[in-house]
Amino acid sequence: MEVEHFSHPDHPLILVNQVLEYSCELVICSGCEGPIWGPCYSCTCCYFFLHKKCAELPREIKRRIHRRHPLHLLAKSPYKGKYRCNRCTKSFNSFVYHCSSCKFDLDIKCAFEPGFFEVDSQFAHKDHPLILNEEQEYHGEGVVCSVCKEPISGPSYSCTSCNFFLHKKCAELPPEINRHLHPEHPLRLLPNHDTMCDFCNETCCESFVYCCFVCEFNIHIKCAFPPCVYEADQDQGHQFRRLLNPRSLKSISFTCNACGTDGDDSPFGCTMCQLVVHEECISLPGTLKTALHHHPQIIHTYQLQQGIESINKYCGICRREVDTEYGVYYCPDCDFVAHVNCSIEYGDSATEIVEENEEEQSVTVDGQFMEPSFRVVREIKHGEDRIIEEIDHWSHQHNLILIDKVDDDLKCDGCMFPISTPFYSCASCNFFLDKTCIELPRRKKWQYHENQLILSWSRGPHDLFYCDVCKQYFRGLRYTCDVCGLWIDVRCFKSLEDSFEHEGHEHPLYLPADSKNILRCNNGGRGRPPWAAAERESIPHCSGCCVSEESKVFFKCVVCDFKLGMKCATLPYKARHEYDDHPLLLTYINENDYQPSCLICEKDRDPKLWFYRCEECDFDAHPECALGKYPYVKQGGVRTYPKHPHPLVSVDKTEDYRPQACDTCGEPCDDLALECTDPNCNFIVHRKRRQCIDPLIW
């Protein structure tokens, strides 16, 4: 192996593994001026040699004898002639560790532990072979291990001729280790000369200790290999105490095993294991209850890799990467993990997790109250299979029958999405519910909301509702909170998840923690929650429609700057329009878009935004043009009002070029309206304006 060394810049040095002899002359190291008997680096062009250890010396070290500044390795004395070591006062003219600010110097032997340059192997016993004894557990009183000085018991290596004994585990100690106590540099196993352990602050009695020869950091073998290391079982107790700073350093730079963040102060260490933590992390709660995850509790662990088999690499709250070698909170029931600081910020640490009995847990599986939404009227059984053919659903006055064939133009009355099979239909009227809406629970304990949500429905065919999440009018099933007054369309409710993959983007999308907090109850129910944006607040623009999300509930990409508002996140994949005989599919890119335009409104279309397209007809349309201004409001539905002699029907006048004047306020009805079904009566009123409808009732 060939290397470039700063002390010999003219030629490269080659590693020589055999003993060097030149005409029976002793080969001298140019670094420490000591004889070379083993592996060394040599220059083939000139008489220059370095011990392998001397060639690998660090260029900068910190020492307790000189606390103010680090010492830098120089090939020669910076002064004229020889220099004098400030520790041993001897004069040398070889490698020196020097401080230019203080004119302080250490020769390399004084810079390191005694024996560092003399010992080439871990445990020298070359006279006789060592015999492994696997069975004998006790060798007699006074027989101790030559390394750790503890009594010999259990498997061991021994040379009875020399009375030399080693525990099997001591004989197999690694020559170099890495520990969280001292993450900057590896620790090497070296002979001990009455060193003090920087972990337990006791004098090391063993023959060998682990040392960092860069920072002069030392640790017992027993402290380097504690009896318990990183147990995921939280029943194990830790005994923390403050670690005194090494005398040469003002602080300890470390990474906290409890929270995974860096520290630069005096940490606390567990006397039984290798945990090093911030003072504030000693009292971290073992379990947390958070509204940002649907399972009842998350658990703290010091090392996730031993906590669960499936490891998620992204925090379920902030979506940044999680270092699984340090402490996190994780869910025992799923693949949810979160940074400790994120969990504390959004968790209810003061809430105690009350153990529920098995019966209570079965009733509230995943926080869902198992109150049925329907009553089975008729069913068919084929062995273990059960097919429910007819049901009585609480939202409709007639029974609903199972249908396995679908018309492309049908919409579910619950979520207003196009119907997919199987679904349930009313034989008496134009009412349909798909299977996902049928299975919605009447009462739901939602992960984003403290109070129970109730599934609601209004039998009035002309009633309109406004979703607090997507800010759109709808007519269908909704979840409501009796405490804070939240109204959420079931379409948005079914779409709100911690994370999901959308066909319109290549990376996973997640719901930010701030958005989740917006969905929580406000002030214990006093006043409506702040779903709308405050004045002058910066609201992100949706990457699907380029419109800012007034509700502040949106999804973000894990990887890039992609944001998706709830309005676009809940768009149906398939739509129908009278201008095209084929279904229109939601599209995100058209490579042949030379002159993008909407064929319905005949206006230009931004090629970067989402649109609906029929490939067969080369038909493109804005989402609002393809779906209509009110895609989740079902038109039709006839109702009689006390103050008008004829039944009124719900109509959409957004595409009517000659709007009629409202019979109540006199303004044009160019939006949703109620129109008289009698052809001889031209009565019409605004549907969305309460002041226009009230005269029909009172």
Side-chain angles (χ1 to χ4, degrees):
M1 184 175 67
E2 188 176 282
V3 298
E4 301 285 342
H5 198 270
F6 77 97
S7 65
H8 193 70
D10 298 332
H11 308 113
L13 303 180
I14 297 175
L15 180 62
V16 180
N17 289 314
Q18 69 270 21
V19 177
L20 290 176
E21 291 185 9
Y22 282 84
S23 303
C24 298
E25 294 181 7
L26 194 63
V27 179
I28 301 299
C29 173
S30 298
C32 65
E33 297 182 331
I36 295 179
W37 301 105
C40 70
Y41 283 93
S42 169
C43 176
T44 58
C45 301
C46 52
Y47 195 80
F48 184 89
F49 304 95
L50 284 178
H51 284 114
K52 186 173 183 293
K53 283 191 175 181
C54 292
E56 296 172 352
L57 288 174
R59 297 294 302 275
E60 181 182 299
I61 62 172
K62 298 176 182 178
R63 286 297 177 260
R64 294 169 180 168
I65 196 174
H66 188 71
R67 299 185 180 188
R68 285 183 288 180
H69 308 108
L71 303 175
H72 299 274
L73 182 63
L74 303 179
K76 294 291 181 182
S77 169
Y79 318 109
K80 292 182 179 180
K82 294 185 177 182
Y83 71 90
R84 188 177 297 274
C85 173
N86 287 91
R87 173 174 277 180
C88 67
T89 69
K90 293 181 181 179
S91 297
F92 292 93
N93 194 28
S94 54
F95 283 7
V96 57
Y97 278 98
H98 175 69
C99 174
S100 58
S101 301
C102 305
K103 300 296 186 289
F104 182 89
D105 304 283
L106 282 181
D107 65 65
I108 58 174
K109 289 187 178 181
C110 287
F112 296 98
E113 297 289 341
F116 175 79
F117 291 99
E118 288 78 7
V119 178
D120 290 324
S121 61
Q122 285 179 252
F123 316 114
H125 188 76
K126 302 178 181 178
D127 298 333
H128 308 100
L130 297 178
I131 307 301
L132 176 62
N133 190 333
E134 288 277 8
E135 298 179 358
Q136 188 171 351
E137 295 186 356
Y138 184 68
H139 293 266
E141 191 173 348
V143 178
V144 296
C145 174
S146 298
V147 171
C148 68
K149 302 302 181 182
E150 295 289 336
I152 288 289
S153 62
S156 63
Y157 287 93
S158 63
C159 174
T160 54
S161 303
C162 304
N163 199 29
F164 183 86
F165 297 91
L166 289 176
H167 289 114
K168 184 175 183 290
K169 61 181 181 180
C170 290
E172 297 172 355
L173 284 172
E176 185 175 286
I177 60 173
N178 292 285
R179 287 295 179 263
H180 293 295
L181 282 168
H182 190 72
E184 296 89 350
H185 309 107
L187 304 175
R188 295 186 180 180
L189 190 62
L190 298 173
N192 175 32
H193 295 272
D194 297 325
T195 359
M196 180 172 284
C197 176
D198 286 303
F199 179 72
C200 66
N201 296 305
E202 296 179 0
T203 302
C204 302
C205 299
E206 299 98 327
S207 299
F208 287 79
V209 293
Y210 279 99
C211 306
C212 171
F213 60 84
V214 177
C215 302
E216 208 172 357
F217 180 89
N218 309 304
I219 185 172
H220 275 117
I221 292 176
K222 64 180 180 181
C223 291
F225 295 94
C228 61
V229 178
Y230 299 151
E231 292 292 340
D233 185 4
Q234 295 304 304
D235 292 336
Q236 172 192 296
H238 295 284
Q239 297 178 8
F240 290 106
R241 66 173 179 80
R242 187 180 295 277
L243 296 179
L244 295 179
N245 297 338
R247 284 163 286 178
S248 63
L249 303 175
K250 294 182 180 179
S251 62
I252 299 177
S253 296
F254 67 99
T255 301
C256 177
N257 291 113
C259 67
T261 60
D262 294 335
D264 192 12
D265 50 17
S266 181
F268 279 71
C270 175
T271 57
M272 299 190 301
C273 62
Q274 286 295 324
L275 295 178
V276 181
V277 301
H278 298 110
E279 182 176 2
E280 60 270 19
C281 290
I282 295 175
S283 57
L284 280 175
T287 57
L288 281 177
K289 186 175 183 180
T290 174
L292 305 185
H293 186 61
H294 56 280
H295 287 122
Q297 64 179 355
I298 53 178
I299 301 173
H300 181 260
T301 178
Y302 286 99
Q303 192 176 37
L304 180 63
Q305 291 174 342
Q306 294 184 11
I308 56 177
E309 295 181 359
S310 178
I311 298 175
N312 183 2
K313 292 293 185 181
Y314 294 97
C315 173
I317 297 176
C318 71
R319 291 298 160 171
R320 294 192 300 271
E321 192 169 359
V322 170
D323 189 343
T324 55
E325 293 186 0
Y326 295 97
V328 295
Y329 279 92
Y330 77 98
C331 177
D333 300 318
C334 67
D335 203 20
F336 176 90
V337 296
H339 294 115
V340 169
N341 292 339
C342 294
S343 303
I344 296 298
E345 182 178 358
Y346 293 101
D348 299 326
S349 57
T351 304
E352 296 184 359
I353 306 299
V354 180
E355 294 185 1
E356 301 173 344
N357 57 44
E358 294 182 359
E359 181 180 355
E360 288 175 337
Q361 289 179 349
S362 64
V363 173
T364 58
V365 174
D366 292 338
Q368 175 173 310
F369 292 85
M370 303 306 291
E371 180 181 346
S373 296
F374 59 88
R375 180 180 61 86
V376 177
V377 177
R378 186 175 71 253
E379 67 178 1
I380 300 176
K381 293 183 179 179
H382 294 285
E384 295 182 357
D385 295 333
R386 178 189 180 212
I387 301 175
I388 301 175
E389 284 195 325
E390 185 175 352
I391 62 172
D392 175 16
H393 196 269
W394 63 272
S395 67
H396 194 65
Q397 65 269 31
H398 307 129
N399 289 349
L400 304 179
I401 308 224
L402 182 66
I403 305 293
D404 57 2
K405 293 182 180 180
V406 63
D407 186 335
D408 286 339
D409 293 330
L410 295 182
K411 283 187 176 182
C412 171
D413 282 270
C415 61
M416 294 299 163
F417 275 157
I419 282 286
S420 59
T421 55
F423 68 99
Y424 287 85
S425 171
C426 176
S428 304
C429 51
N430 194 27
F431 185 86
F432 313 98
L433 285 179
D434 62 29
K435 196 169 182 295
T436 59
C437 287
I438 287 288
E439 295 172 349
L440 288 171
R442 284 296 306 273
R443 298 176 183 272
K444 175 74 175 180
K445 187 65 178 70
W446 201 29
Q447 65 262 35
Y448 307 126
H449 206 72
E450 295 91 334
N451 294 301
Q452 185 182 142
L453 299 183
I454 302 172
L455 190 62
S456 305
W457 171 267
S458 177
R459 294 185 183 273
H462 297 164
D463 292 341
L464 282 181
F465 305 98
Y466 192 68
C467 179
D468 288 309
V469 175
C470 68
K471 301 298 180 182
Q472 296 186 92
Y473 283 96
F474 69 96
R475 167 82 180 105
L477 291 171
R478 69 191 184 278
Y479 274 103
T480 62
C481 174
D482 290 341
V483 178
C484 68
L486 169 71
W487 282 3
I488 176 172
D489 187 349
V490 294
R491 171 181 46 84
C492 291
F493 180 85
K494 291 189 287 187
S495 300
L496 279 171
E497 300 177 0
D498 284 345
S499 62
F500 74 104
E501 294 186 3
H502 196 282
E503 295 178 355
H505 193 64
E506 64 269 29
H507 306 134
L509 304 178
Y510 73 96
L511 190 63
D514 292 341
S515 293
K516 297 177 185 180
N517 265 347
I518 295 170
L519 300 168
R520 305 183 74 178
C521 271
N522 183 40
N523 297 327
R526 295 187 296 273
R528 295 180 66 83
W531 292 301
E535 291 185 9
R536 299 180 181 177
E537 185 173 355
S538 177
I539 304 301
H541 284 72
C542 172
S543 300
C545 62
C546 204
V547 176
S548 63
E549 279 296 303
E550 294 181 359
S551 68
K552 299 190 289 186
V553 181
F554 58 90
F555 292 94
K556 292 180 68 175
C557 176
V558 173
V559 180
C560 61
D561 192 31
F562 183 89
K563 300 178 181 65
L564 191 62
M566 285 302 301
K567 184 176 180 180
C568 287
T570 57
L571 283 174
Y573 180 66
K574 184 170 65 174
R576 283 277 185 179
H577 196 273
E578 60 182 350
Y579 286 7
D580 196 285
D581 296 332
H582 310 104
L584 305 177
L585 303 181
L586 187 61
T587 309
Y588 318 106
I589 188 171
N590 182 5
E591 296 179 355
N592 299 321
D593 243 348
Y594 300 112
Q595 293 180 339
S597 62
C598 174
L599 295 184
I600 296 177
C601 68
E602 299 181 352
K603 295 180 181 179
D604 292 339
R605 181 177 54 78
D606 189 339
K608 298 179 182 179
L609 304 182
W610 294 2
F611 61 99
Y612 281 91
R613 175 171 176 77
C614 172
E615 287 287 348
E616 190 171 344
C617 303
D618 194 22
F619 183 95
D620 297 341
H622 294 114
E624 187 172 302
C625 294
L627 299 174
K629 188 177 180 180
Y630 300 100
Y632 310 115
V633 177
K634 191 174 182 179
Q635 303 304 324
V638 178
R639 178 182 174 183
T640 301
Y641 290 85
K643 300 298 182 178
H644 190 75
H646 313 124
L648 302 180
V649 64
S650 174
V651 294
D652 186 355
K653 292 292 185 178
T654 55
E655 297 182 4
D656 193 345
Y657 292 101
R658 293 183 179 179
Q660 295 176 245
C662 173
D663 281 81
T664 301
C665 67
E667 296 182 10
C669 284
D670 53 0
D671 204 39
L672 296 178
L674 298 179
E675 191 174 43
C676 184
T677 56
D678 190 335
N680 298 318
C681 180
N682 294 325
F683 181 84
I684 190 171
V685 292
H686 290 103
R687 182 180 177 183
K688 287 167 50 180
R689 299 182 183 180
R690 175 57 59 185
Q691 65 270 25
C692 294
I693 299 179
D694 283 347
L696 296 173
I697 304 173
W698 312 106

